[in-house]
Amino acid sequence: MMPVLAGDDEPMLEAAIDAHDESFVEFVIDHGLGPRWHLSTGRSEFHASRMAAESLYLAQERALAEIDAALGTAGIRYAVIKGVANRLLLYPNPAIRACHDIDLLVSPDDRLRVADALSGLGYQASPKAATISHELELIRGAIFVDLHWGLLREGRLPGEQIDDILSRRRFERGVWMLATEDSFFLLLVHPAFAKHLAGWDMGLHRVADIVDWIQMQPIDWDAMRHRLHANGVKTAAWATLRWVQLLISPRTPAALDEGLAMLRPGSLCRAYIDRWLKSDLSARTREMHWMRQFGFSLLLHDSLAGTIGALRGRVAAHRRRNADLAAFSQSTR
């Protein structure tokens, strides 16, 4: 994370590389930060990762132009979300922010139409039973598109209406993206629920997005606290910020400390989550999904009602998955 925190302090970064063996370079690259280290140091060890990121960026930009034209012609509202959008806001050279896929958010009512439109562009749908309730992966060569009609799995965010979110979208840097407050909301809650705040699941390039956002974008923490509270996920956002703080300490931006103070849950919950994060239990329970769910994810809701709502949403999605799979199978033939 040093290029994110130390900027272009090249002597410090060079010393860090030279103080470690080649496994350090491999670790940086595997966590998605190789291009950023190359930008800051010019070291040949990171050159290949940067070239790969820039090549994929160009291919994704061409794909986005095609998708925008197709959905525009069909009159379908959409927004680019997560990494592909964040890199345009946070990076002077967005090509150095490696993104494996393009994430699109659409209205639930439009999901079949969008899948059809992407199929018409040559994308092959790859539906998965575990996630078909809220997203669909489509693939064309090296381009992966994750089509979302929910920010998270059903039941996690009861107060978020996708059509309302899309009504606030903005056209910036050549793409449709979420409003600033919607983007930051997603940046705070998605890692906690979808990535379990586990390093290998999330990658440190996504952590860099959070740190960059906090350092570069204005944040109304009071408004964000009210919105998180309305969705019952203030605890999840606090956990994300606390994990980031643990990873970058002692170089913690003042705005991050402010957010932690505004969002902190009760002392017992706070102590439990802190122990979980410090013990790296999300990584250690990677092969035990049930443990992650019941020992961590369900506790990220602010109330028992929120936890029950998440469980009900999961059960409903499970019961509906065969019908969802069948709908997309018919749609993308």
Side-chain angles (χ1 to χ4, degrees):
M1 293 293 291
M2 290 175 67
V4 184
L5 302 167
D8 294 326
D9 190 343
E10 189 170 339
M12 180 187 294
L13 300 176
E14 292 275 0
I17 298 169
D18 294 336
H20 297 83
D21 61 25
E22 63 182 19
S23 64
F24 174 74
V25 171
E26 294 172 359
F27 183 86
V28 168
I29 292 172
D30 288 345
H31 274 279
L33 289 175
R36 191 145 183 177
W37 275 80
H38 185 269
L39 179 69
S40 296
T41 67
R43 291 281 290 247
S44 61
E45 297 96 319
F46 302 111
H47 182 262
S49 67
R50 180 172 180 181
M51 293 300 99
E54 295 201 356
S55 175
L56 184 56
Y57 170 79
L58 292 175
Q60 288 173 340
E61 286 294 286
R62 289 193 293 269
L64 273 173
E66 290 180 338
I67 292 169
D68 178 71
L71 298 187
T73 299
I76 299 172
R77 289 191 306 181
Y78 78 95
V80 179
I81 61 173
K82 301 199 290 187
V84 170
N86 292 335
R87 69 184 176 187
L88 295 173
L89 292 175
L90 303 174
Y91 286 73
N93 176 8
I96 67 167
R97 167 46 165 100
C99 291
H100 174 68
D101 47 33
I102 297 171
D103 291 283
L104 302 178
L105 181 69
V106 302
S107 169
D109 293 337
D110 288 332
R111 63 189 187 278
L112 295 179
R113 292 175 62 207
V114 176
D116 280 339
L118 294 182
S119 294
L121 294 176
Y123 288 88
Q124 182 70 40
S126 178
K128 296 177 176 60
T131 57
I132 195 61
S133 66
H134 62 289
E135 67 179 69
L136 172 71
E137 184 179 66
L138 299 106
I139 306 168
R140 188 185 71 185
I143 304 299
F144 291 72
V145 175
D146 273 355
L147 178 63
H148 302 261
W149 48 95
L151 296 180
L152 290 170
R153 190 185 298 276
E154 185 176 341
R156 288 290 190 194
L157 300 171
E160 292 301 302
Q161 300 298 320
I162 300 303
D163 287 334
D164 290 342
I165 292 172
L166 289 173
S167 73
R168 297 191 292 267
R169 67 180 183 155
R170 55 188 171 141
F171 192 76
E172 190 162 336
R173 312 293 173 90
V175 301
W176 286 104
M177 62 177 68
L178 300 183
T180 302
E181 62 275 13
D182 294 323
S183 294
F184 189 54
F185 177 88
L186 183 60
L187 203 57
L188 289 178
V189 300
H190 185 269
F193 289 117
K195 303 299 182 182
H196 307 283
L197 303 180
W200 286 115
D201 289 354
M202 186 168 175
L204 291 177
H205 58 313
R206 295 186 179 93
V207 179
D209 287 349
I210 297 172
V211 176
D212 282 334
W213 190 289
I214 288 172
Q215 294 184 130
M216 298 168 59
Q217 298 285 327
I219 301 171
D220 185 340
W221 282 115
D222 190 54
M224 187 55 58
R225 178 173 62 85
H226 283 293
R227 180 166 177 183
L228 290 163
H229 176 72
N231 281 276
V233 291
K234 193 160 54 74
T235 302
W238 180 89
T240 297
L241 293 176
R242 176 57 178 148
W243 189 58
V244 171
Q245 184 187 49
L246 290 171
L247 290 174
I248 66 174
S249 182
R251 295 172 175 263
T252 307
L256 191 150
D257 292 333
E258 181 185 356
L260 282 167
M262 290 280 286
L263 303 177
R264 65 182 182 184
S267 57
L268 185 61
C269 179
R270 190 166 70 247
Y272 178 87
I273 292 174
D274 203 54
R275 180 64 178 270
W276 179 281
L277 296 175
K278 287 180 177 178
S279 301
D280 201 21
L281 289 178
S282 286
R284 292 164 61 185
T285 58
R286 193 178 189 200
E287 302 303 322
M288 295 180 284
H289 186 67
W290 63 270
M291 177 67 79
R292 280 178 162 188
Q293 288 294 326
F294 288 95
F296 185 60
S297 294
L298 289 176
L299 302 179
L300 298 178
H301 294 275
D302 297 340
S303 66
L304 180 60
T307 300
I308 293 172
L311 286 170
R312 285 176 174 167
R314 189 178 187 88
V315 170
H318 180 80
R319 289 175 175 170
R320 202 180 57 244
R321 63 181 179 175
N322 288 335
D324 289 337
L325 288 168
F328 279 107
S329 176
Q330 292 291 327
S331 171
T332 57
R333 248 181 225 179

